[in-house]
Amino acid sequence: MKCKLLLDARGVKENVNVVVEDGVIKDIGNSREGDEVDCSNLVVTPGFVNSHTHTAMIALRGYYDDAELQEWLQRMWDFEKRMSSRLMRLGSEIAILEMLSSGTTAFVDMYFNPEDIKELAEKYKVRGFAGYTFLDSMLDPEEVARRQEGLRDSKHFKAIVNVHSVYSVEEDTLKLAKELAESEGTWIHIHVSETRKEIYDVKRRTGRFPVEYLRDLGLTSLVNAVHLGWVASWEIEELKKARATTHCPTSNMKLATAGAFPFFEMMEGGINVTLGTDGASSNNSLDILAEMKNAVLLQRHNYWDTRIKAIHAFKAATVNGYKLLGIKGGLLEKGYAADMVLFDASLLYPLTRDRLLSNIVYYAGQDAVVATIADGVIYSRSELVQRRRKLGEELNRELEKL
Amino acid sequence: MKCKLLLDARGVKENVNVVVEDGVIKDIGNSREGDEVDCSNLVVTPGFVNSHTHTAMIALRGYYDDAELQEWLQRMWDFEKRMSSRLMRLGSEIAILEMLSSGTTAFVDMYFNPEDIKELAEKYKVRGFAGYTFLDSMLDPEEVARRQEGLRDSKHFKAIVNVHSVYSVEEDTLKLAKELAESEGTWIHIHVSETRKEIYDVKRRTGRFPVEYLRDLGLTSLVNAVHLGWVASWEIEELKKARATTHCPTSNMKLATAGAFPFFEMMEGGINVTLGTDGASSNNSLDILAEMKNAVLLQRHNYWDTRIKAIHAFKAATVNGYKLLGIKGGLLEKGYAADMVLFDASLLYPLTRDRLLSNIVYYAGQDAVVATIADGVIYSRSELVQRRRKLGEELNRELEKL
C-alpha cells in the first residue's frame, strides 16, 4: 500500500509503500509488491498497546462511578460474584472491538476468563496477554495456580501471571506466583502503589513500601507494575529492573487516587514505561488515543511544566508496549509485526510533517481512525461499529437477566 | 420524533416524542405532530455550550505545543501577525463544524474576526457570541472600541466585549470595555487568574489579586471569567456576582498552568460555572464531550476525592452554558431552544437509565454522535465530516502560502 504519511516513534516518512506478508511488514520503501490498500490519503502509525485493562468489565461501565478505590473495588467484587461467564465473554469481545476502533492491536488483561481471551485473540488476530488472577479474598491460590498451569499459549495469545496486588494476597501467594512465572517462562502483571491506603497498609503489615516488598521477594525483574502513583525515589531506582511500568492516567484521576506517576524520571532512567486504559468501570472508555493525551495532560499538571511531551506518550503506547510483550512490533519497519492504524489524512489538518505527531496524540479521535490492521487483517471503522452495536444489544439483554 | 431516551440535567425520560417548530421545542410527551426524525434508537441530550474558545486558532493546532503559557502566547501572537483573514475565517468555519461534530450548538469566541463569526453563525444556525478583542500590545483600544460599536447582533449572533486579560491591557482599557458593555447591553469575556505569573504581576502592579482588581473597577457582574486556576477564597466570594465562570481543564493541563479551578466551591456557592475547550492551539481539540470528562478527572485529581461528579460537568455544559448566553436552552422542555444532540443508543451500552449520564460524560465520543440539531436544523455526522475534510484541505493549502 502506498501511504501518504508514516509516523512511528522515530519520525515521519512521506509517500512510501508498505508491503505486508503473513502478518509481517515485508518492506517499507519503493517496492509495490502486494499493494492492496489504497493509503494515498491515509496516515499510518503502528498499532497501540493497551498494557493494562480488564476487558470483561465492559459490563460494569457506569455501574458505580462516584467512589474512591477501596469502596469502588468492594462494589466491583460484589457485582463480579454474580457475573455470568457469558457476560464476561461478551464484555471481553466488545472490549477488543472498542480497542480496535481506537487503534489498539495488543493488550494485557487482568481478569478471570483468560480462556475467552485466548479464543478471542485468535478470532480477531489481536495479541492477547492474560492469565487467571490471584486474589486471595475471592479465590483459592492453589486453585488459581492449577488452572494457570492448564493455560497454553497460542499464536496470538500468551499466558501471563496476574496478581491483583500485594495488599490483596498473602506472601505465600506472591511466592507461588513467582514460581509459576519462572517455571512457565512468563511474567507477572500486578497493580502496585495505587493509593495512599495501600502504601500505609503494606508498610504497616510488612515494614516496607510495596516496591521494596516486591524487591525483597525477588519479583521486580518479573513484573509489569501498574499505577505507581505513590512511589519513593529509591523505589524508582528499584523499578529500573522491572520488565515494564504502566501508567493509567484516566483511571487514576477518575478514582481520585491523586498520586503522581513519575513518568519523566522513569523514562529518563531507562524504565520501559507503557500506557493502559484500565477497565471500562474506572475509565470508562478503552481508548488509547485519549490515554496518550491524558498522560501528557496529567503529567504537565503534576510537574507544573511541559517536560512531558507527545513523543513520550506515543513511545509508551507503541515501541515500549511491544517491548513489554516481547513482540517485534511498534515500529513501521521491515520484519516488524503488521499491526497498524490507518488515519484519515483529510481530518488531521493542519497536515504537515511537523504537526503530525501532535495531531495524533492531542487531536485525533476514534472518528479519524479509518481502519486498524491486526496481524495483517484489516478492520474498517464501519465494520467495528456494526459489530459493537450488535454485541452491545446482546450485553444489554444479558444484563437484564441479572 | 419518538425518542428512546431523553437526558437533561434533571434526569431521564423514556419513549417520548419531541416536537420541534421554528427552532423551538414545541412539545415533549405523547403528541406526534410533525414527526420527521426516527429517534427510536437514539438518545437525545440538549446541545452543549462551549463557553470559551478561539475558533480561528484551528490554523495553529499543533504549531507550538510544548511550552508554558507566557512563551506559548508570544509564539501565538507572532504567528497571528502573519495570519490572513482567509485563514482566520477558514479556521472559524472548521471549528464550528468540529464543535457540531461533538454536539456543541453554541459558543463564546475570543478573536479578531467577529464579523466572520456572525456570518458563520447565521450560515449554520449555531449561537455565536464574539467581539473584537482588547489586547493593548497588539491593537489600539480606541480602534477596537470603534469597530466593536459597528458590530450588530443578528438572529444567531450576539456581540460581546472581549478583553484578553487584566495583565495585557491598561486600566483605561478595562474602563473603556466596561462602558462599552454597559452601553451596548452586553457582557465581558476575559481570561482571569490563569497563571502564577499573572497573579504575581497583577499584584505587583495594582496591589491586588486579579479578581479584586476587577471588583474595584466594578466589572465583576459583567464578566464571564475564564480559567481561574489561581484564586483566593475571598475571590470566590466576589465571583458570586459574576455572570459566569468558565473552566477549561484540558487547556490548563496542557499549558501546565497547574492551578486548581475551585469547581465544587463555585457550584456550591451558586456561581454559574460553565465549560470551555479553549482554542485548538492549546487543547488541541474542540470536543466538549472530552471536556466534560476531563473536568471531572482533573477536579478529582485536585480534590483527592470524588466530590465532582458527572452531573456537575453535564450541568456546566448545558443549562449553565445557556444561562451565560441568556438563551432559553439547555433543557429538553417545551419552549426551549431546539438545540439537541442525537447519540446512537446501540453504542451507549450498557444502556440503562441509571448509567445514561455516566455513559454520555465518561464514555461517549464523537463517534457515538449521529447528528446535532442547531436551532432545529439537523447536521448528520457524515455531512459534518465531509465538510471538515473539504475545508481541511483548503486550510492546508492556505497555510502553505504563509
Side-chain angles (χ1 to χ4, degrees):
Chain A
M1 52 198 202
K2 179 88 169 181
C3 303
K4 191 177 182 77
L5 288 162
L6 257 55
L7 170 74
D8 69 17
R10 300 166 306 179
V12 176
K13 285 182 181 167
E14 233 163 321
N15 295 319
V16 283
N17 287 307
V18 179
V19 180
V20 171
E21 199 175 79
D22 297 333
V24 174
I25 296 173
K26 196 184 166 191
D27 193 34
I28 295 222
N30 296 317
S31 164
R32 299 188 52 93
E33 188 189 347
D35 275 8
E36 283 174 37
V37 185
D38 177 14
C39 291
S40 56
N41 201 31
L42 296 178
V43 170
V44 184
T45 73
F48 303 114
V49 180
N50 185 353
S51 297
H52 178 65
T53 188
H54 311 278
T55 54
M57 292 182 88
I58 291 285
L60 282 143
R61 170 180 282 148
Y63 172 67
Y64 202 73
D65 286 312
D66 298 328
E68 292 169 51
L69 192 118
Q70 285 307 315
E71 180 190 341
W72 172 86
L73 205 50
Q74 197 51 58
R75 284 298 197 113
M76 296 302 120
W77 289 341
D78 291 347
F79 184 99
E80 283 164 350
K81 286 171 191 156
R82 296 184 290 136
M83 234 171 135
S84 65
S85 58
R86 174 85 192 117
L87 207 48
M88 282 193 218
R89 190 191 165 93
L90 257 175
S92 291
E93 185 159 6
I94 291 171
I96 288 170
L97 294 167
E98 287 187 15
M99 289 192 283
L100 282 168
S101 302
S102 43
T104 296
T105 48
F107 65 98
V108 182
D109 199 51
M110 181 186 286
Y111 217 67
F112 312 106
N113 61 337
E115 292 286 2
D116 287 339
I117 301 300
K118 183 173 171 174
E119 284 179 40
L120 292 167
E122 296 309 329
K123 178 173 179 180
Y124 291 106
K125 316 295 178 203
V126 291
R127 330 265 174 191
F129 288 68
Y132 291 96
T133 301
F134 287 102
L135 176 59
D136 292 354
S137 62
M138 279 175 79
L139 301 159
D140 170 38
E142 296 298 331
E143 172 67 13
V144 174
R146 200 187 55 70
R147 289 196 195 180
Q148 182 72 21
E149 281 166 349
L151 194 59
R152 293 278 157 266
D153 292 354
S154 61
K155 187 174 178 202
H156 297 93
F157 173 81
K158 189 165 170 56
I160 54 168
V161 175
N162 278 322
V163 181
H164 180 273
S165 58
V166 296
Y167 65 84
S168 62
V169 301
E170 298 294 324
E171 188 162 306
D172 282 346
T173 303
L174 286 166
K175 288 176 179 166
L176 179 60
K178 178 172 187 274
E179 278 170 36
L180 255 178
E182 284 171 343
S183 66
E184 308 272 329
T186 189
W187 44 276
I188 296 172
H189 176 213
I190 183 168
H191 300 124
V192 186
S193 301
E194 185 173 5
T195 66
R196 287 152 284 165
K197 177 171 166 50
E198 171 180 348
I199 309 302
Y200 179 79
D201 289 350
V202 173
K203 187 81 160 66
R204 205 166 58 158
R205 179 160 68 95
T206 72
R208 285 155 289 181
F209 288 123
V211 177
E212 293 177 314
Y213 184 50
L214 290 175
R215 175 199 65 202
D216 291 352
L217 291 171
L219 281 164
T220 317
S221 64
L222 287 169
V223 300
N224 174 29
V226 182
H227 294 312
L228 301 170
W230 296 91
V231 285
S233 55
W234 57 91
E235 290 184 293
I236 299 176
E237 275 306 302
E238 172 66 14
L239 286 166
K240 288 182 182 172
K241 300 183 202 137
R243 184 172 180 98
T245 63
T246 300
H247 185 27
C248 302
T250 303
S251 170
N252 291 166
M253 287 193 273
K254 183 153 171 285
L255 289 168
T257 61
F261 180 95
F263 201 140
F264 190 77
E265 291 76 2
M266 285 192 183
M267 278 228 163
E268 289 288 295
I271 295 176
N272 188 45
V273 181
T274 68
L275 290 183
T277 60
D278 215 339
S281 48
S282 69
N283 185 309
N284 298 351
S285 68
L286 303 181
D287 182 341
I288 201 82
L289 292 167
E291 219 59 37
M292 284 195 283
K293 182 169 183 174
N294 282 355
V296 178
L297 296 180
L298 174 58
Q299 295 302 332
R300 289 188 172 189
H301 184 69
N302 284 339
Y303 286 110
W304 295 33
D305 74 20
T306 56
R307 71 185 63 191
I308 289 293
K309 304 186 199 312
I311 187 65
H312 294 116
F314 189 80
K315 263 188 187 162
T318 56
V319 272
N320 291 8
Y322 279 93
K323 189 175 171 199
L324 160 66
L325 306 183
I327 292 172
K328 195 172 174 183
L331 290 175
L332 299 174
E333 180 71 47
K334 192 175 166 173
Y336 278 65
D339 293 355
M340 292 180 271
V341 195
L342 310 180
F343 291 90
D344 184 339
S346 297
L347 284 177
L348 297 183
Y349 48 80
L351 187 69
T352 66
R353 289 176 69 115
D354 285 355
R355 304 195 196 192
L356 190 58
L357 174 66
S358 167
N359 283 349
I360 295 292
V361 173
Y362 298 132
Y363 160 54
Q366 292 188 26
D367 51 316
V369 175
V370 173
T372 299
I373 299 179
D375 193 26
V377 181
I378 301 187
Y379 296 93
S380 73
R381 180 192 148 66
S382 58
E383 181 189 348
L384 292 168
V385 166
Q386 273 312 324
R387 285 176 186 250
R388 283 166 58 195
R389 278 203 189 99
K390 184 172 158 287
L391 293 181
E393 305 275 1
E394 273 186 54
L395 183 82
N396 292 337
R397 284 194 296 273
E398 198 65 29
L399 271 167
E400 276 172 22
K401 292 185 198 162
L402 279 193
Chain B
M1 53 199 203
K2 178 86 168 183
C3 302
K4 192 177 181 75
L5 288 161
L6 257 57
L7 170 73
D8 69 16
R10 299 166 306 179
V12 176
K13 285 181 183 169
E14 233 164 320
N15 296 317
V16 282
N17 286 307
V18 180
V19 181
V20 170
E21 199 176 79
D22 297 333
V24 174
I25 297 173
K26 197 183 165 195
D27 193 34
I28 294 220
N30 296 316
S31 163
R32 298 188 52 93
E33 190 189 346
D35 276 5
E36 283 175 37
V37 186
D38 176 13
C39 291
S40 56
N41 202 29
L42 296 177
V43 170
V44 184
T45 72
F48 302 114
V49 180
N50 186 353
S51 298
H52 178 65
T53 188
H54 310 278
T55 54
M57 293 181 88
I58 291 286
L60 282 143
R61 170 181 282 149
Y63 172 68
Y64 202 72
D65 286 313
D66 298 328
E68 292 168 51
L69 192 119
Q70 285 308 316
E71 179 190 340
W72 172 86
L73 205 50
Q74 197 51 59
R75 285 297 197 114
M76 296 301 120
W77 289 340
D78 290 347
F79 184 99
E80 284 164 349
K81 284 170 193 157
R82 297 183 290 136
M83 233 170 137
S84 65
S85 57
R86 172 87 192 114
L87 207 48
M88 282 194 219
R89 189 190 165 94
L90 257 175
S92 291
E93 185 158 5
I94 290 170
I96 288 170
L97 294 167
E98 287 188 14
M99 289 192 283
L100 281 169
S101 302
S102 42
T104 295
T105 47
F107 65 99
V108 182
D109 199 50
M110 182 187 286
Y111 217 67
F112 312 106
N113 62 335
E115 293 286 3
D116 287 339
I117 301 300
K118 182 174 170 174
E119 283 179 40
L120 292 166
E122 296 309 331
K123 179 174 178 180
Y124 291 105
K125 315 297 178 202
V126 292
R127 330 264 173 189
F129 287 68
Y132 291 97
T133 301
F134 288 102
L135 176 59
D136 291 355
S137 62
M138 280 175 78
L139 302 158
D140 171 36
E142 295 298 331
E143 172 68 11
V144 174
R146 200 187 52 73
R147 289 196 194 180
Q148 182 72 23
E149 281 166 348
L151 195 57
R152 292 279 157 263
D153 293 353
S154 62
K155 188 174 177 202
H156 297 92
F157 173 80
K158 189 165 172 55
I160 54 169
V161 175
N162 278 321
V163 181
H164 180 272
S165 57
V166 295
Y167 66 83
S168 62
V169 300
E170 298 293 325
E171 188 162 308
D172 281 345
T173 303
L174 286 166
K175 288 176 179 166
L176 179 58
K178 178 173 187 273
E179 277 168 37
L180 256 177
E182 284 171 342
S183 66
E184 308 273 328
T186 189
W187 43 276
I188 295 173
H189 176 213
I190 183 168
H191 299 123
V192 186
S193 301
E194 185 172 5
T195 66
R196 287 152 284 164
K197 177 170 166 50
E198 172 180 348
I199 308 301
Y200 178 79
D201 289 349
V202 173
K203 188 79 161 67
R204 205 167 58 160
R205 179 162 65 96
T206 72
R208 285 155 289 180
F209 288 123
V211 176
E212 293 177 314
Y213 184 49
L214 290 175
R215 175 199 64 202
D216 291 352
L217 292 171
L219 280 165
T220 316
S221 65
L222 286 169
V223 300
N224 174 29
V226 182
H227 295 312
L228 301 170
W230 296 93
V231 285
S233 54
W234 57 92
E235 289 184 293
I236 299 176
E237 277 304 303
E238 172 66 14
L239 286 166
K240 289 182 181 172
K241 298 184 204 139
R243 186 173 179 98
T245 64
T246 299
H247 184 28
C248 301
T250 304
S251 171
N252 291 164
M253 287 193 273
K254 182 153 171 288
L255 289 167
T257 60
F261 179 94
F263 200 142
F264 189 77
E265 290 76 2
M266 285 191 183
M267 277 231 164
E268 290 287 296
I271 294 175
N272 189 44
V273 181
T274 68
L275 290 182
T277 60
D278 215 338
S281 49
S282 68
N283 184 310
N284 295 353
S285 68
L286 304 181
D287 182 341
I288 200 82
L289 291 167
E291 219 58 37
M292 283 195 283
K293 182 169 182 174
N294 282 354
V296 178
L297 295 180
L298 174 58
Q299 294 303 331
R300 289 189 172 188
H301 184 69
N302 284 339
Y303 285 110
W304 296 34
D305 73 21
T306 56
R307 70 186 63 190
I308 289 293
K309 304 185 198 314
I311 188 64
H312 294 116
F314 189 79
K315 263 188 188 162
T318 56
V319 271
N320 291 8
Y322 278 93
K323 190 177 169 197
L324 160 66
L325 306 182
I327 292 171
K328 196 173 173 184
L331 290 176
L332 300 174
E333 179 72 45
K334 192 175 166 174
Y336 278 65
D339 293 356
M340 293 180 272
V341 195
L342 310 181
F343 291 90
D344 185 339
S346 298
L347 285 176
L348 298 182
Y349 50 78
L351 187 69
T352 64
R353 291 176 68 115
D354 284 356
R355 303 193 195 193
L356 190 58
L357 173 67
S358 166
N359 284 349
I360 295 292
V361 172
Y362 298 132
Y363 160 54
Q366 291 188 27
D367 50 317
V369 174
V370 174
T372 300
I373 300 179
D375 194 25
V377 180
I378 300 187
Y379 295 94
S380 73
R381 181 193 146 68
S382 57
E383 181 189 349
L384 293 167
V385 167
Q386 273 313 323
R387 286 176 187 249
R388 283 165 59 192
R389 278 203 188 98
K390 185 174 159 288
L391 293 181
E393 305 276 1
E394 273 186 53
L395 183 83
N396 292 336
R397 285 194 295 275
E398 197 65 29
L399 270 167
E400 274 170 23
K401 292 184 199 163
L402 278 193

